[in-house]
Amino acid sequence: MIDIFKRRDFFGIAVFAAALGILIWYFAAKLGIFTKLGYQSDLYTHIQICRGWLQGRPLMHENCYGYHGKLHNYFFDLAMGPFVLKWGATGIFIVQFLLYVWALWYTFPVLYKKSDEFNHKLLVAVFYIAVFCGPVSFWLYDDPDYGFHTEMLYVPLGFIFTLSLYKKQHWVSAVAALLMVSVKEDGAVLVACLHLFYLALQFTAKNITTKRWLLQSLLWGGVYVVVFVAGIIYLKYQNDFGYDRLSESFERIGLQTAQAKRNYFLPIFKSFGLLLLPFAAVLLFMRVTNYKVWLWWLAFMLPVVAVNLVSGFVYFPAKYFSLVWVPRFSLTFAQFLSMGSLCLLLFSRAWFRPAFVCFVAAFSVAFVLFNRQEKLLQSERGYSFNYAAIKVFKEKHPHTYYLHWDSVRKVAAVLPYDYPVSPPYKLFGYFHKHDVIWTNKIFVAWQKPRMIICDEGNIENVIPDQLLQHPDSVVTPNMRYYFEAEDRHYLIEAGVTDK
C-alpha cells in the first residue's frame, strides 16, 4: 500500500479508501445493531468462552451449553480473551474488524499492482467494492440475530492465507493457517481446500510442473488430513469417546425417510446455488473462460459443502442452519475470495479495451452485482441489507418504545463487572460485561445468579427461594427483580426503587 501512495496512484488510493470506508461503516452498523439489542444467543456463549479462562473458569465453559468443548474446538475464542475481558462484546467486534482491515491492507496491493493496465485495476475495484465489501459480505459480517460465530473469521483469514501463498510469504501462510485451524474443527478442511486449490490453479496456469504439483498436493493434503482427524479425535476425547454431536448428526439424518430428505435438501441446494450466482457473474466479467479453473473451484468446494451439510444435520428438519447459514456460508465465501483473487492474478482478461467503455461496464456490473446480492439475501434469507446496514442508524433504541426496559438498562449500568445476573433473553445486550445466565439453564451456570430479572417471557422458570440464598424482590408494572437481599442498593442506585 505504501508504494501505491508513493506513486500517487489516485485511482488505487480511491478504491482502497472506499473499501476501508465501507468496512468502517459496517463496523459502525454492527455496533448500532448490538447497542439496539439486535443480537442474542450465541454471541454470549462466545463472550463467555473467550474470557472465562481468564476468570478462573474451565476452558470452553459457558452458561448456555455448559462445557462447550464437547461441541466444538473454538480455540480462537481463547485468544480473544483479553479483548473481551476489557470491552465485552465490543472486544469481539474489534478483533473481527481488525482482521478485515488486515485482509484489505495485505491483499489489495498484491491484486492491484499485478498489472498497470486500467482494465485490470477496474476489475480489482469491482472485486473489492462489489464482493469483498458487498451485501453478502456484510450479511456474513453482521451474522443476523446472533452477532458472532467464530467461523465468520474464516473470511478475512482465508483471503490472507491465499494471497500469502501467492506471495510466498511462508510465515504469513503459517500464521493464517494456524488461526483458521484454531477457529473450529472444520478449519483444517478449509485450509486444505484453499491450499490445494492454489496449487491446482498454479498447475493449470503452467507455473509449476506436474510432478511438483502432485508431490506438494500429496504432502500438504496428508498434513491437513492428519490435522483434521486430530481435531475430530480431540472432540471425541472431550466426550469420552461416546455419543457426540457428530454421532447425533449422522443418526438424525439416517432416521429420515427418502421424501423427508428430498424436502430438506432441495430448498437448501436451491438457495445455495442462487447465492453463488453473483460470484459466478464476477468471474464471467473477469473473462475467466478456462473451464479447468471452474472445475477446480467446484471440486474443492465439495469437501466444504459436505462438512457444512453434516454440521447442519443436527438441526434437522430446520433448513435455516445448513449451507446458507452464516457460519456455514462463511467457508464458501472464503473460497470464492480465493477463487476470485487467484483468477485476477492468473487468468482474468478485460472484455473491453477503451478506458471509458471499460469504466462504464465496471460501474454497471458493480451496481447490478450489489443490487442482485441485496435481492437474493431478501428472497433466500429474509435479510434486509438496507435495514441492517443503513436504517439501523436511524432506528431508535428499544427502550424508547418499551419504557420499562430503560430501568433494566440502568440496572445493568450500576452492576459490577462479571456480576452473575439472569435477565430476559432479549435484554442480554445490556449485560454483555456481566456473567449472563440463561434463566432456563441456571443449573449449568458456573455460578448461581445474584439477581434474576423477569418479564412475561421467562417468569415461569423462576422459583426465587430455590435459586437465591437470601431472596428479596422488587415488582414493577412490567418487570420483576429477584435478588440477594444485600444487593438491593443496586436497584436503589438505578432508580428502580427508592428504598
Side-chain angles (χ1 to χ4, degrees), residues 179-443:
L179 291 177
M180 278 194 285
V181 168
S182 73
V183 165
K184 194 185 167 190
E185 60 273 9
D186 55 14
V189 176
L190 179 60
V191 176
C193 289
L194 294 181
H195 197 163
L196 297 180
F197 179 63
Y198 162 76
L199 293 173
L201 291 197
Q202 287 284 23
F203 169 68
T204 303
K206 299 181 180 180
N207 292 335
I208 56 175
T209 64
T210 304
K211 182 179 179 180
R212 183 176 177 81
W213 167 57
L214 289 173
L215 286 175
Q216 289 203 12
S217 296
L218 288 171
L219 171 64
W220 287 111
V223 169
Y224 296 131
V225 167
V226 169
V227 173
F228 176 67
V229 171
I232 296 300
I233 291 174
Y234 180 77
L235 269 179
K236 291 282 186 182
Y237 169 75
Q238 298 303 308
N239 288 278
D240 298 321
F241 294 96
Y243 190 75
D244 60 5
R245 200 174 181 91
L246 187 60
S247 304
E248 183 183 355
S249 293
F250 284 115
E251 180 183 80
R252 183 166 296 211
I253 197 67
L255 292 173
Q256 309 308 316
T257 64
Q259 184 60 47
K261 291 176 184 177
R262 280 194 295 272
N263 293 340
Y264 176 74
F265 285 116
L266 289 178
I268 288 171
F269 283 118
K270 170 182 169 289
S271 293
F272 183 69
L274 287 173
L275 283 178
L276 285 178
L277 282 179
F279 308 127
V282 170
L283 298 178
L284 291 174
F285 181 64
M286 293 178 184
R287 204 176 176 184
V288 179
T289 55
N290 189 326
Y291 74 94
K292 293 179 182 178
V293 175
W294 291 79
L295 290 177
W296 284 125
W297 182 32
L298 292 174
F300 286 110
M301 198 185 296
L302 289 177
V304 167
V305 169
V307 167
N308 283 338
L309 280 174
V310 172
S311 298
F313 289 164
V314 74
Y315 299 99
F316 189 96
K319 306 174 186 69
Y320 182 88
F321 300 103
S322 191
L323 296 182
V324 288
W325 188 34
V326 165
R328 318 270 188 248
F329 200 78
S330 293
L331 285 81
T332 301
F333 191 71
Q335 281 190 298
F336 177 76
L337 290 179
S338 175
M339 170 73 163
S341 58
L342 290 175
C343 285
L344 279 167
L345 293 167
L346 301 172
F347 299 103
S348 69
R349 293 176 295 165
W351 284 96
F352 311 104
R353 281 296 168 191
F356 175 74
V357 174
C358 196
F359 181 83
V360 172
F363 180 85
S364 302
V365 167
F367 177 81
V368 171
L369 284 172
F370 214 92
N371 181 264
R372 291 316 303 166
Q373 288 179 64
E374 282 191 73
K375 295 289 191 295
L376 285 170
L377 287 173
Q378 184 68 60
S379 64
E380 301 307 314
R381 302 307 291 157
Y383 181 76
S384 173
F385 169 81
N386 184 53
Y387 178 82
I390 300 172
K391 292 185 178 178
V392 65
F393 294 106
K394 297 179 180 179
E395 183 70 30
K396 294 182 179 179
H397 284 273
H399 58 250
T400 61
Y401 300 108
Y402 308 102
L403 298 180
H404 55 287
W405 286 9
D406 197 40
S407 64
V408 180
R409 181 179 64 88
K410 291 175 180 176
V411 169
V414 301
L415 292 179
Y417 187 88
D418 201 34
Y419 182 91
V421 57
S422 183
Y425 180 73
K426 53 186 171 289
L427 303 184
F428 276 17
Y430 290 145
F431 299 91
H432 66 107
K433 291 187 177 182
H434 304 111
D435 187 20
V436 172
I437 298 169
W438 279 252
T439 307
N440 62 333
K441 296 187 178 182
I442 291 176
F443 60 94

Side-chain angles (χ1 to χ4, degrees), residues 156-165 173 176-177 180 191 194-195 224:
L157 290 173
F159 199 10
I160 292 166
F161 177 69
T162 300
L163 269 294
S164 69
L165 292 174
S173 303
M180 278 194 285
V191 176
L194 294 181
H195 197 163
Y224 296 131

Side-chain angles (χ1 to χ4, degrees), residues 1 10 20 24 29 42 67 87 101 111 117 124 179 196 212 228 250 283 306 357 422 462 470:
M1 273 311 304
F10 294 115
L20 180 61
I24 294 171
D42 290 8
Y67 179 57
W87 293 297
V101 172
L111 298 180
E117 290 188 6
V124 172
L179 291 177
L196 297 180
R212 183 176 177 81
F228 176 67
F250 284 115
L283 298 178
V357 174
S422 183
V462 176
H470 305 99

